[in-house]
Amino acid sequence: MWLAISAIASFSHLNAHADSLSFDKTFSDKNESKRLHYQAVFTAKGEEHQLEVWRDGQQRLKRRTDDTIEIYANRKPGDVEYSLSILDLKKHIHTRIDRTNLYRIGNFTDWFDLAHGLKHPKGEYRLEKASAPAKAPEPLSACQWYDLTQSDRAAHICWSARYRLPMLIVTSEGQTAWRISVVDEKSIASGTFTIHDEGYIRNDANQDIEKD
């Protein structure tokens, strides 16, 4: 199950310096598109992965990683709580877990993290407007560059105000860690958010955690 969570692009947990920009205000999801589909290529532990995401407003979400993991997230309008269904497509295991129980086991993944490829920082950080780093690839769509500095390292993030997405993330070493390759706001096909788990082992992690 946690392979799915590790596929989320994230950063160290640090709080803003007094003179830096606010993460929440700069990377806001306010008034984002009611329908969005995107594909991204990201690097984790030196390996390249393919990600595809469908967003139905802020109520339904589907993520597919490497034809290996599918995540379905659902929540009520305006609610911070959500439920996750995680399908291991290779082992044919369907695991259900809610946000509260994720937090209980120390995984502080929120809806924003799942939907946008950025994890809210906690602790000290510095966020500033910036120029494109040298030799950065051309983004798929117009975006504003920001430098997010954490401890002794930095990430260069090109944020699209239109799509509310990081179009590119480049490491301080100049490596492309995240790149949006496809993005559109077309109608999402019916059945996209239907879970197909016929023949899967069904695991209710909520019951296991709440028994402890």
Side-chain angles (χ1 to χ4, degrees), residues 176-194:
T176 301
W178 168 280
R179 176 176 59 84
I180 296 289
S181 56
V182 173
V183 63
D184 65 73
E185 298 170 293
K186 300 176 183 177
S187 296
I188 297 173
S190 61
T192 297
F193 300 101
T194 301

Side-chain angles (χ1 to χ4, degrees), residues 8-14 23 117-122 148 150 153-157 169:
I8 301 168
S10 62
F11 298 107
S12 301
H13 302 299
L14 305 165
F23 183 97
L118 286 176
K119 194 173 183 67
H120 277 84
K122 297 179 182 178
L148 178 62
Q150 307 161 91
R153 64 191 184 91
H156 311 290
I157 303 166
I169 300 176

